[in-house]
Amino acid sequence: MSEPLHSAATTIASWRTAEERGDVDAAVACLSPDVVLSSPLTDQFRFEGSDQLRDFLTVAFTAVKDVRYHTQAGEGDTYALVYRARVGSQSFEEVQMLRLDDQARITEITLFGRPMPALTALMHLMGPALARQQGRRGLATLMSVSTVPIHAMVSSGDRGMVAKTRPAARRT
């Protein structure tokens, strides 16, 4: 068993390093046993407990690459961390709102991500992988097939239609 974490600064630094390295064990060592993660993609469920978070982080660290933190704010038991990364070929930025317990372990994680094409790419990669991890191969296949058109629509809309409506776009 690893040494207990003693301060918020130590926990936050360890969490950042673990994510940048994709080290699931080091990330889980920062968590409270009753940690809760709110999904950035749906309000339908939350990941609860360090075992579920281990499964989530295993998939997330495979899907999200080149994590580089650039901003940190907070004090006491609440911190916001911001990083840039990529999902496949799509650039991605995420804000993590972290709350710590009285032992400086992460007890709550709320995620916010952008841009939308990266979120749909993340959904396409992570949803089926999480279903496979649970032994639900049929559901994994269904999720994989059903997320393709969503990601295609969002990506093509982002490249085509959104560009035409930006403030600097010329009217024709």
Side-chain angles (χ1 to χ4, degrees), residues 2-151:
S2 63
E3 286 279 322
L5 301 172
H6 297 288
S7 72
T10 301
T11 299
I12 298 303
S14 296
W15 176 256
R16 287 175 59 150
T17 299
E19 284 210 292
E20 287 177 339
R21 292 182 180 163
D23 185 339
V24 174
D25 291 332
V28 170
C30 298
L31 304 175
S32 166
D34 61 349
V35 63
V36 174
L37 180 139
S38 297
S39 169
L41 301 176
T42 181
D43 283 335
Q44 297 302 309
F45 62 88
R46 303 178 324 163
F47 295 90
E48 298 179 355
S50 56
D51 289 341
Q52 284 186 7
L53 261 289
R54 176 180 294 283
D55 294 343
F56 172 83
L57 291 170
T58 299
V59 172
F61 289 175
T62 300
V64 179
K65 300 292 186 191
D66 302 328
V67 172
R68 295 293 173 256
Y69 283 92
H70 60 79
T71 304
Q72 175 178 321
E75 62 183 0
D77 67 351
T78 305
Y79 291 82
L81 306 177
V82 187
Y83 70 80
R84 287 188 183 93
R86 66 180 173 78
V87 178
S89 63
Q90 176 71 51
S91 294
F92 177 63
E93 191 166 32
E94 181 174 81
V95 176
Q96 302 174 340
M97 177 67 71
L98 306 177
R99 296 196 194 281
L100 308 178
D101 65 13
D102 59 359
Q103 295 178 30
R105 297 175 302 185
I106 299 169
T107 190
E108 183 181 327
I109 305 170
T110 305
L111 306 175
F112 307 90
R114 63 163 303 280
M116 183 66 83
L119 293 177
T120 58
L122 195 58
M123 179 175 60
H124 178 68
L125 292 171
M126 289 191 64
L130 288 166
R132 278 190 298 278
Q133 195 176 59
Q134 296 169 0
R136 302 171 77 185
R137 295 175 66 178
L139 178 60
T141 300
L142 177 61
M143 290 178 82
S144 183
V145 169
S146 68
T147 57
V148 168
I150 295 168
H151 180 60

